[in-house]
Amino acid sequence: MEMLNSINNIKVAKFFKLNEFACPCCKKVMLHPKLLAKLFELRNILERPIIVNSGYRCPKYNQEVGGVVSSYHCIGLAADITVKDIELITLLEICENLDFNGIGFYEKRHFLHLDVRPTKRARWMG
Ligand SMILES: [Zn+2]
Ligand SMILES: [Zn+2]
């Protein structure tokens, strides 16, 4: 239905639309301005598109994809991203410099988890 396709089709910053962060199962979305601001900074440095593989997840969807129960995806503080034509390790270095509080390095599946958790820094490999 066309009306539904327009849900969250709202530009929230240059290069980013709200629907890119919405839960794929229910289209609900939470997005913290700090996460958006950091992704915007990253986008400007990279000068190429950031593909948001997973932004907000409702608890049901989070469970389906095997996310941890208290996932920062469920409160709008996290995004899993892919960027084409750049080594994942290079992308990681750039994100370290931007000081995302949480960074997960998923080499095999070729994406980074980035979050703006309010607690101390966390780094892991998936
Ligand atoms: Zn959902
Ligand atoms: Zn993630």
Side-chain angles (χ1 to χ4, degrees), residues 23-28 56-61:
C23 180
C25 85
C26 57
K27 312 297 176 203
K28 286 179 186 167
Y56 172 73
R57 297 174 190 164
C58 72
K60 178 176 151 275
Y61 181 72

Side-chain angles (χ1 to χ4, degrees), residues 70-96:
S70 58
S71 172
Y72 289 102
H73 285 280
C74 296
I75 52 171
L77 298 187
D80 295 344
I81 65 150
T82 297
V83 180
K84 283 179 183 159
D85 306 319
I86 185 167
E87 292 293 329
L88 198 62
I89 193 79
T90 309
L91 186 61
L92 176 68
E93 280 163 20
I94 296 166
C95 291
E96 283 289 357

Side-chain angles (χ1 to χ4, degrees), residues 100-111:
F100 282 94
N101 258 6
I103 303 180
F105 184 74
Y106 292 83
E107 193 167 24
K108 275 187 193 150
R109 287 186 284 158
H110 205 81
F111 73 89

Side-chain angles (χ1 to χ4, degrees), residues 8 12 18-23 26-33 35-36 52 54-59 71-79:
N8 299 325
V12 285
L18 191 58
N19 56 12
E20 295 176 65
F21 296 89
C23 180
C26 57
K27 312 297 176 203
K28 286 179 186 167
V29 62
M30 291 174 84
L31 173 60
H32 198 284
L35 177 65
L36 182 63
V52 179
S54 184
Y56 172 73
R57 297 174 190 164
C58 72
S71 172
Y72 289 102
H73 285 280
C74 296
I75 52 171
L77 298 187

